[in-house]
Amino acid sequence: MRFDGKTVVITGAASGIGAEATRLFASEGAIVFASDIDDEGGKALEQETDGDVRYRHCDVSSTEDIRKLMDGAAQETGGIDVVFNNAGAGGARPGIDEIEPDEWDRTMDLLLRSVAFGIRYAVPHMKGRKGANIVNVSSVAAVGPGYSPTAYAVAKAGVLHLTKCAATDLAQHGIRVNAVQPGFINTNIFTSSMGMEDDMARTAKAVIAQMSSNAQPVMRGGQPRDIAEAVAFLASDAASFMTGTSMLVDGGLTIGPRHSWDPEAPGIFDALEAMQNQGQSPA
Ligand SMILES: NC(=O)c1ccc[n+]([C@@H]2O[C@H](COP(=O)([O-])OP(=O)(O)OC[C@H]3O[C@@H](n4cnc5c(N)ncnc54)[C@H](O)[C@@H]3O)[C@@H](O)[C@H]2O)c1
């Protein structure tokens, strides 16, 4: 019961990583303010989860919604101990040569400004609370291009730097700030970001499940629980000497090219060796 009696606020809690984090924190004694724009999903989560889960509507693109969420949680329980800034979606998909200003702004509001103000409006309610800390969701997309659309990747890289800056700003108040960088995690984010529903979404999810099993050195698909466990560790007192840092939880996705772990995919030296063996010139 690492979070017995603690007040935990989670954004984007109705699905995927946020829902699993809600279940984990609640199972360890926390009062969880689980927020989302998906009211139906959020209320279902509130009902089905054992423990003290309180669903609240909060669109993280609205700073006013975020302020109300944090103020409300603090009013009900006396303060906030942990914030998990998790809400997100795929953002605008065009590359830098085609993206429009409003698409760029919407993506930054959803993925980066939301985290800044998730911190800004929670902190007044966290000061003076022992062990208070914040965990932000970044992504492997922050490591470099190629994992996501450009605006998403830039926002997630911004979350990493924001995490470091906030950690220094808030150290004097004893508030830690860390980030988690999920790899390919099997959630609704891919189909919902493409506006897929019903049968098409179901078919796409089967394909995604297959792809996520084969995407990285660890030979299984990444699950929301993998990320929730890392978030709970960072939020716990076991991580009390960690601030301004980030945990990659990606099954090794970012450590090496496919040929380093997939015997079916030859690397450059394998290809050259095969040519040599056949008596061909590599050129
Ligand atoms: N799934 C992955 O592979 C992956 C990888 C790296 C990072 N992430 C990040 O993890 C976080 C959670 O994503 P997920 O994979 O669990 O996806 P998900 O789609 O299962 O869950 C995202 C939740 O955020 C909510 N949401 C969307 N827009 C919102 C808004 N404006 N205000 C409040 N809530 C909103 C959705 O309703 C949904 O419940 C996101 O920030 C995402 O970018 C996911």
Side-chain angles (χ1 to χ4, degrees):
M1 298 295 268
R2 290 174 288 182
F3 305 103
D4 207 12
K6 303 255 186 201
T7 298
V8 175
V9 180
I10 299 179
T11 65
S15 169
I17 294 166
E20 199 55 31
T22 298
R23 293 185 193 104
L24 183 54
F25 278 106
S27 74
E28 297 213 34
I31 303 163
V32 184
F33 288 85
S35 68
D36 209 288
I37 46 173
D38 173 5
D39 295 336
E40 201 180 317
K43 282 178 187 150
L45 179 74
E46 180 185 66
Q47 306 232 307
E48 86 191 14
T49 309
D50 291 335
D52 193 342
V53 174
R54 307 179 191 185
Y55 175 70
R56 300 289 179 266
H57 180 93
C58 172
D59 180 346
V60 296
S61 298
S62 156
T63 53
E64 188 53 21
D65 268 20
I66 299 172
R67 192 182 59 72
K68 280 189 191 147
L69 173 69
M70 301 303 174
D71 289 354
Q75 265 162 24
E76 277 185 50
T77 62
I80 298 175
D81 298 293
V82 174
V83 174
F84 178 32
N85 286 307
N86 163 73
R93 294 176 59 223
I96 198 61
D97 54 337
E98 289 183 341
I99 195 165
E100 296 296 340
D102 62 322
E103 293 177 311
W104 181 268
D105 289 349
R106 273 204 304 275
T107 304
M108 294 300 148
D109 289 354
L110 173 64
L111 296 173
L112 180 55
R113 191 182 69 164
S114 62
V115 178
F117 284 86
I119 299 170
R120 164 69 183 88
Y121 290 131
V123 160
H125 307 298
M126 301 179 88
K127 287 179 180 170
R129 291 175 78 90
K130 195 168 169 298
N133 73 90
I134 296 164
V135 182
N136 303 319
V137 171
S138 174
S139 169
V140 288
V143 169
Y147 295 102
S148 75
T150 292
Y152 179 99
V154 172
K156 292 296 189 182
V159 168
L160 284 191
H161 202 62
L162 170 61
T163 298
K164 293 180 196 170
C165 295
T168 58
D169 284 350
L170 301 176
Q172 61 186 306
H173 302 295
I175 300 171
R176 298 183 297 110
V177 189
N178 291 296
V180 65
Q181 288 173 268
F184 189 174
I185 307 300
N186 195 354
T187 70
N188 291 330
I189 196 166
F190 306 101
T191 49
S192 67
S193 296
M194 305 223 14
M196 288 182 180
E197 288 178 357
D198 306 327
D199 280 354
M200 184 173 298
R202 266 189 292 279
T203 309
K205 278 175 191 168
V207 173
I208 290 163
Q210 178 65 31
M211 285 175 70
S212 75
S213 304
N214 298 327
Q216 62 281 307
V218 172
M219 290 189 293
R220 68 167 174 83
Q223 299 298 328
R225 183 77 182 194
D226 296 312
I227 309 306
E229 291 284 0
V231 172
F233 166 71
L234 288 171
S236 75
D237 288 344
S240 63
F241 201 54
M242 296 175 74
T243 196
T245 194
S246 167
M247 279 177 76
L248 267 168
V249 187
D250 69 347
L253 183 63
T254 52
I255 56 174
R258 184 156 190 137
H259 68 81
S260 64
W261 56 273
D262 183 353
E264 301 296 321
I268 180 73
F269 288 107
D270 300 312
L272 292 176
E273 206 174 78
M275 284 180 184
Q276 242 175 0
N277 291 343
Q278 288 168 11
Q280 292 174 359
S281 153

